[in-house]
Amino acid sequence: MYSLKNLTIKSFHEGLTAKKFSALEVTRVFFDHIKETDKKIGAYLSLNEEGAIKTAERVDLAISQNEPVGALAGVPIAVKDNILIKALPATAGSKSLEGHIASYSAGVIQKLKKELVTFLGKTNLDEFAMGSSTENSGFHLTRNPHDLDRVPGGSSGGSAAAVASHQAVAGLGSDTGGSVRQPAAFCGVVGLKTTYGSVSRSGLIAMASSLDQIGPIAKTVEDVAMLFRAIAGGDDYDATNSNPEYGEELLNPSLEKIRALTVGIPSEYFPKELDEEIGKAVDGVVMDLQGLKINFKKITLPHTKYALPCYYIIMPAEVSSNLARFDGIRYSRIEEKRLNAKNLREIYTHQKGEGFGTEAKRRVILGTFVLSSGYYDAYYQKAQQVRTLIKQDFDEAFKKVDVILTPVTPTLPFRIGEKISDPYQMYLSDIFTIPVNLAGLPAVSIPVNDWNKGDGSLPVGFQLIGRHFREADILGVGQYYEKIAK
Ligand code: GLN
C-alpha cells in the first residue's frame, strides 16, 4: 500500500502500473486529505474535484485495457492560480479577478493534459505573484506546514505548502524573482526556476514578462526533472520561447559527467548577515558534494549588490504595463457596477481601487513613475544597463565553473506578520534568487535537511545555478546529492 507522505511521481507511476492502486482511489484520498488539512494550511483557492475524477477514470480505463500510459498519467498536481486551466477559476490571488473563469489553458497545461495529469485545484499566491510570503493574497493566508505560525514563502506559497503537506504529489509555480525557489526552500521541497525561454509563458497571468517563468515544485529532484521535461518546449503563443530540446540526461545523469563539473562558490552570497544555521547547512552540502569527488572553486559575482535595486525598477515597470489590462472594461469585477458607472474614473476606482491590494498599487505607481518622461533615462534605462552587468558577471563565472552553489534565502521561514509592514525587509528575502531572473538562468532550490524528518526543525534550502538551458547540470548534481544526503 502507499501513504500520501511517500508518494512521488515515480512511486505513483510504479504503483499505478503494477495495479497496486487505481488513479481514482488515490485521487479521492487526496481530496479527503485536502478537505481535512487545508482548513489549517490554506494552500488551495479552488478545487477541481469533478475534473480530477474524470481524468483519473480515463487513466484507470487505459490501464485496465493494458494501454501504455506515460510516467505522469494520473499524477495529482496542484497549479498556482495565475496559470490558466480552461473552465476553471483563475484569480492570480487578486480580488479584481474574483469569479474570473479561464477561457483557455496555458501552454504548460495543454502539454500536461496530453499526459493525462490530474489537476487537483488552483493554489494560493501573493496577488499577481508579487510577494515573498503569500500574505499579499487577496483571499486568505497560507501557513507553513512545518510551523503554522510561519509563512510558506511566496509567491507560489500555495503550491509549495500543498506539496509539503502531501495535498498534491507535485505542483506548478511561477518565478519572477524567486517565487518558486524561495517557497520551496521555506517548505522543504524542491523547486526549479527554468531558463528564460525554456517553458511557454502562454496562459501565465503576466507579472514582469522579461523575468517570468513557470517552474515545477516536487518532493524530489528526480520528480522535478520529470515534470520539467514534460512542460519544457514552446508553443505557438509565446514568441520568447526558444523551443529547446531536453534529452534523457535530465532523468538519468551520469555520475562520470557530474564529477567532471566544477562548482563555483560566490563570496557575495555568503555575507555576514546570512543566518548562521543556513551558512552551516550550506557548508555541509559542499562537504557532501566533495565526498562525491565534485570540484569546487571560489568565484566572484561583483555586481550582485545591485541586483535588488535593479529588479525593483525593471519589474514594477513591466508590472505597470501588464496590469493595465485589468481596467474594468475587460475583466470587470462586477458587471453591473461597470454598466452603471458615470465615467471612466468610477470604473477604475471600482476595479483597481477596490480590487487591487496595497502591494499591487505600490508597484503600479512605482513602475509608472520610472517609465515616465524625464525619469525613464535615470531609472529604467540605467537599470537595464545594470542588468547587463549582472548577466556579464555570470558569463564570466561560467567560463571558470559549470554550476554555482548558493543559499536560497538569507533567513529561515519568518513569522506571519513579521515583515508585512516593512516592504524593504520583505524584498530582501529574494536577494539570492533575483540575480538569476535578471540573467535568465536556470536554478533549483533543494532542501538541505530531509524534508520528511519531522523533528520540528525548519527547512533550509540550497540553490544550484546553471548555464542557460543546462538544467541537466543542476538537476544532475541535485539528483546525486539527494542519493547521498538521505
Ligand atoms: N518576491 C519577489 C517579488 O515580490 C518575487 C516574486 C516572484 O518571483 N513572482 O517581486
Side-chain angles (χ1 to χ4, degrees), residues 396-408:
E396 281 306 308
F398 283 126
K399 286 181 187 157
K400 302 182 199 103
V401 299
D402 306 287
V403 167
I404 297 171
L405 191 152
T406 78
V408 183

PDB file of all heavy atoms in Angstrom, residues 396-408:
ATOM      1  N   GLU A 396      31.060  35.572 -17.128  1.00  0.00           N
ATOM      2  CA  GLU A 396      32.467  35.431 -16.719  1.00  0.00           C
ATOM      3  C   GLU A 396      32.640  34.203 -15.824  1.00  0.00           C
ATOM      4  O   GLU A 396      33.554  33.409 -16.008  1.00  0.00           O
ATOM      5  CB  GLU A 396      32.929  36.688 -15.953  1.00  0.00           C
ATOM      6  CG  GLU A 396      33.267  37.857 -16.853  1.00  0.00           C
ATOM      7  CD  GLU A 396      34.274  37.512 -17.936  1.00  0.00           C
ATOM      8  OE1 GLU A 396      35.347  36.963 -17.603  1.00  0.00           O
ATOM      9  OE2 GLU A 396      33.969  37.765 -19.117  1.00  0.00           O
ATOM     10  N   ALA A 397      31.739  34.077 -14.851  1.00  0.00           N
ATOM     11  CA  ALA A 397      31.847  32.956 -13.898  1.00  0.00           C
ATOM     12  C   ALA A 397      31.739  31.618 -14.624  1.00  0.00           C
ATOM     13  O   ALA A 397      32.473  30.672 -14.316  1.00  0.00           O
ATOM     14  CB  ALA A 397      30.763  33.082 -12.835  1.00  0.00           C
ATOM     15  N   PHE A 398      30.828  31.564 -15.607  1.00  0.00           N
ATOM     16  CA  PHE A 398      30.630  30.286 -16.306  1.00  0.00           C
ATOM     17  C   PHE A 398      31.761  29.953 -17.289  1.00  0.00           C
ATOM     18  O   PHE A 398      31.743  28.913 -17.931  1.00  0.00           O
ATOM     19  CB  PHE A 398      29.254  30.249 -16.988  1.00  0.00           C
ATOM     20  CG  PHE A 398      28.123  29.982 -16.025  1.00  0.00           C
ATOM     21  CD1 PHE A 398      27.025  30.835 -15.936  1.00  0.00           C
ATOM     22  CD2 PHE A 398      28.168  28.879 -15.172  1.00  0.00           C
ATOM     23  CE1 PHE A 398      25.992  30.593 -15.035  1.00  0.00           C
ATOM     24  CE2 PHE A 398      27.136  28.627 -14.262  1.00  0.00           C
ATOM     25  CZ  PHE A 398      26.050  29.494 -14.198  1.00  0.00           C
ATOM     26  N   LYS A 399      32.754  30.849 -17.380  1.00  0.00           N
ATOM     27  CA  LYS A 399      33.970  30.472 -18.121  1.00  0.00           C
ATOM     28  C   LYS A 399      34.842  29.585 -17.220  1.00  0.00           C
ATOM     29  O   LYS A 399      35.671  28.824 -17.696  1.00  0.00           O
ATOM     30  CB  LYS A 399      34.756  31.718 -18.535  1.00  0.00           C
ATOM     31  CG  LYS A 399      34.108  32.479 -19.673  1.00  0.00           C
ATOM     32  CD  LYS A 399      34.957  33.684 -20.054  1.00  0.00           C
ATOM     33  CE  LYS A 399      34.200  34.540 -21.086  1.00  0.00           C
ATOM     34  NZ  LYS A 399      34.686  35.921 -21.091  1.00  0.00           N
ATOM     35  N   LYS A 400      34.665  29.728 -15.908  1.00  0.00           N
ATOM     36  CA  LYS A 400      35.518  29.009 -14.950  1.00  0.00           C
ATOM     37  C   LYS A 400      34.814  27.820 -14.293  1.00  0.00           C
ATOM     38  O   LYS A 400      35.452  26.870 -13.876  1.00  0.00           O
ATOM     39  CB  LYS A 400      35.968  29.967 -13.838  1.00  0.00           C
ATOM     40  CG  LYS A 400      36.730  31.175 -14.351  1.00  0.00           C
ATOM     41  CD  LYS A 400      37.182  32.049 -13.193  1.00  0.00           C
ATOM     42  CE  LYS A 400      37.518  33.440 -13.665  1.00  0.00           C
ATOM     43  NZ  LYS A 400      36.478  34.433 -13.371  1.00  0.00           N
ATOM     44  N   VAL A 401      33.511  27.915 -14.142  1.00  0.00           N
ATOM     45  CA  VAL A 401      32.773  26.844 -13.461  1.00  0.00           C
ATOM     46  C   VAL A 401      31.536  26.476 -14.277  1.00  0.00           C
ATOM     47  O   VAL A 401      31.137  27.209 -15.179  1.00  0.00           O
ATOM     48  CB  VAL A 401      32.332  27.280 -12.033  1.00  0.00           C
ATOM     49  CG1 VAL A 401      33.532  27.611 -11.161  1.00  0.00           C
ATOM     50  CG2 VAL A 401      31.374  28.468 -12.085  1.00  0.00           C
ATOM     51  N   ASP A 402      30.930  25.314 -13.923  1.00  0.00           N
ATOM     52  CA  ASP A 402      29.753  24.852 -14.669  1.00  0.00           C
ATOM     53  C   ASP A 402      28.458  25.089 -13.912  1.00  0.00           C
ATOM     54  O   ASP A 402      27.374  25.182 -14.501  1.00  0.00           O
ATOM     55  CB  ASP A 402      29.884  23.359 -14.947  1.00  0.00           C
ATOM     56  CG  ASP A 402      31.195  23.033 -15.629  1.00  0.00           C
ATOM     57  OD1 ASP A 402      31.316  23.362 -16.814  1.00  0.00           O
ATOM     58  OD2 ASP A 402      32.108  22.486 -14.967  1.00  0.00           O
ATOM     59  N   VAL A 403      28.574  25.114 -12.590  1.00  0.00           N
ATOM     60  CA  VAL A 403      27.398  25.247 -11.730  1.00  0.00           C
ATOM     61  C   VAL A 403      27.800  26.175 -10.591  1.00  0.00           C
ATOM     62  O   VAL A 403      28.968  26.204 -10.197  1.00  0.00           O
ATOM     63  CB  VAL A 403      27.007  23.846 -11.171  1.00  0.00           C
ATOM     64  CG1 VAL A 403      26.010  23.952 -10.036  1.00  0.00           C
ATOM     65  CG2 VAL A 403      26.455  22.940 -12.272  1.00  0.00           C
ATOM     66  N   ILE A 404      26.851  26.963 -10.069  1.00  0.00           N
ATOM     67  CA  ILE A 404      27.142  27.850  -8.933  1.00  0.00           C
ATOM     68  C   ILE A 404      26.253  27.451  -7.760  1.00  0.00           C
ATOM     69  O   ILE A 404      25.044  27.222  -7.943  1.00  0.00           O
ATOM     70  CB  ILE A 404      26.898  29.324  -9.347  1.00  0.00           C
ATOM     71  CG1 ILE A 404      27.867  29.707 -10.476  1.00  0.00           C
ATOM     72  CG2 ILE A 404      27.053  30.266  -8.157  1.00  0.00           C
ATOM     73  CD1 ILE A 404      27.586  31.059 -11.123  1.00  0.00           C
ATOM     74  N   LEU A 405      26.867  27.343  -6.586  1.00  0.00           N
ATOM     75  CA  LEU A 405      26.102  26.910  -5.404  1.00  0.00           C
ATOM     76  C   LEU A 405      25.983  28.060  -4.402  1.00  0.00           C
ATOM     77  O   LEU A 405      26.986  28.693  -4.064  1.00  0.00           O
ATOM     78  CB  LEU A 405      26.806  25.715  -4.765  1.00  0.00           C
ATOM     79  CG  LEU A 405      26.062  24.939  -3.674  1.00  0.00           C
ATOM     80  CD1 LEU A 405      26.537  23.487  -3.640  1.00  0.00           C
ATOM     81  CD2 LEU A 405      26.192  25.547  -2.303  1.00  0.00           C
ATOM     82  N   THR A 406      24.755  28.316  -3.939  1.00  0.00           N
ATOM     83  CA  THR A 406      24.499  29.423  -3.001  1.00  0.00           C
ATOM     84  C   THR A 406      23.371  29.027  -2.035  1.00  0.00           C
ATOM     85  O   THR A 406      22.666  28.048  -2.292  1.00  0.00           O
ATOM     86  CB  THR A 406      24.038  30.709  -3.747  1.00  0.00           C
ATOM     87  OG1 THR A 406      22.647  30.552  -4.112  1.00  0.00           O
ATOM     88  CG2 THR A 406      24.848  30.997  -4.993  1.00  0.00           C
ATOM     89  N   PRO A 407      23.169  29.815  -0.979  1.00  0.00           N
ATOM     90  CA  PRO A 407      21.927  29.630  -0.209  1.00  0.00           C
ATOM     91  C   PRO A 407      20.747  30.122  -1.055  1.00  0.00           C
ATOM     92  O   PRO A 407      20.954  30.843  -2.028  1.00  0.00           O
ATOM     93  CB  PRO A 407      22.108  30.548   1.003  1.00  0.00           C
ATOM     94  CG  PRO A 407      23.485  31.114   0.921  1.00  0.00           C
ATOM     95  CD  PRO A 407      24.019  30.892  -0.448  1.00  0.00           C
ATOM     96  N   VAL A 408      19.520  29.769  -0.676  1.00  0.00           N
ATOM     97  CA  VAL A 408      18.348  30.277  -1.406  1.00  0.00           C
ATOM     98  C   VAL A 408      17.850  31.562  -0.742  1.00  0.00           C
ATOM     99  O   VAL A 408      17.436  32.501  -1.416  1.00  0.00           O
ATOM    100  CB  VAL A 408      17.193  29.238  -1.408  1.00  0.00           C
ATOM    101  CG1 VAL A 408      16.020  29.744  -2.237  1.00  0.00           C
ATOM    102  CG2 VAL A 408      17.669  27.901  -1.934  1.00  0.00           C
TER     103      VAL A 408
END
